[in-house]
Amino acid sequence: LAGQHVIAIAAGGSFSLAVTDTGAVYAFGANDSGQCGPGGATVTLPQLAGVTTAVQVAAGHAHTMAVKQIDAVTRHVLTMGANGAGQLGNGTLTPQATPVTLAGNTALDLAAGYDHSVAIIDGALYAWGNVQALGMNASGAQQTPLAIAGLSNPRHVAAGYETTFVALLDGTVWSFGSDQQNALGLGMLDQFVSTPTKLPGLTGVTALAAQGLRGAALTSTGEVYTWGAGATATPTLVVSGIAQPQ
């Protein structure tokens, strides 16, 4: 990556992604499931991952997601890597070392959980992969994108370990999945939540993040709230005065 202008990065289980200003995606680290593209089980130096004109990437435990800019209005979701829970969304459980293009024309945002995926496509929220991350108290794989009902104007998403979060245009945050160790921020300890449920006390949210069993939100006034394992059952203010991401 020497001499390249990197505009976006993502870190997965044991691999990393970087997007340059030309839209090229580079990957390095563990490659046991093809999450870095063709090659050996470990990629020691950044290599091209087979994605061009990308504007965003996300990394799960062992799968890669990217938004590919096709033209001024068309943006496709691409996936590659591990697929044991259907997290690539292509209707199979077979890992892929080359990018798979999913249906839909206007991807707004995406997120990769441990073994599930989330994206805002054509104005609607979709999730796929490990069904427990979709709030189902069962074992199984959702192999294709499933439309999540009940949310209007989704704008931002984040995903952790069996957790999914979405911020709407009105600044509220909603979650679903597994609330183990209060990871969903709902105070519903160890319950499965299949219907998106509003987190208490959050307004004006402009950015989300999730990792493992924790979540975080940034508001338009620069306040950061966190919740989940090692934190609190519901969103709690931890710091103020944070600038908005550019």
Side-chain angles (χ1 to χ4, degrees):
L1 291 173
Q4 301 276 8
H5 181 201
V6 174
I7 60 170
I9 57 174
S14 298
F15 74 104
S16 301
L17 305 170
V19 184
T20 71
D21 57 357
T22 65
V25 175
Y26 287 81
F28 50 98
N31 194 37
D32 50 304
S33 298
Q35 59 265 48
C36 294
T42 302
V43 176
T44 57
L45 295 174
Q47 70 171 23
L48 289 169
V51 181
T52 58
T53 64
V55 294
Q56 183 182 0
V57 287
H61 178 70
H63 75 288
T64 292
M65 302 180 70
V67 173
K68 179 181 174 68
Q69 188 85 45
I70 304 300
D71 54 37
V73 296
T74 307
R75 292 154 56 110
H76 289 166
V77 173
L78 276 60
T79 61
M80 60 191 289
N83 200 25
Q87 58 264 51
L88 298 188
N90 65 339
T92 78
L93 297 176
T94 305
Q96 300 285 334
T98 55
V100 173
T101 301
L102 302 186
N105 291 316
T106 55
L108 177 62
D109 196 17
L110 52 71
Y114 182 89
D115 57 0
H116 80 288
S117 303
V118 189
I120 301 171
I121 303 173
D122 297 338
L125 180 68
Y126 290 85
W128 59 97
N130 181 353
V131 297
Q132 292 188 346
L134 279 61
M136 302 179 192
N137 187 9
S139 298
Q142 175 63 41
Q143 298 181 29
T144 56
L146 176 69
I148 306 300
L151 296 172
S152 299
N153 297 312
R155 285 297 179 267
H156 307 286
V157 289
Y161 184 79
E162 298 182 356
T163 60
T164 302
F165 304 94
V166 55
L168 305 186
L169 182 62
D170 64 7
T172 60
V173 176
W174 302 66
S175 67
F176 58 94
S178 171
D179 203 23
Q180 53 189 308
Q181 298 188 46
N182 291 307
L184 294 180
L186 301 172
M188 301 168 63
L189 181 62
D190 293 336
Q191 295 187 40
F192 287 96
V193 180
S194 59
T195 301
T197 303
K198 184 179 176 182
L199 273 69
L202 284 179
T203 59
V205 170
T206 57
L208 291 171
Q211 193 279 329
L213 298 175
R214 299 192 67 177
L218 172 68
T219 72
S220 58
T221 55
E223 297 175 329
V224 174
Y225 291 79
T226 64
W227 60 88
T232 57
T234 55
T236 299
L237 177 65
V238 293
V239 66
S240 301
I242 302 299
Q244 298 296 311
Q246 299 299 311

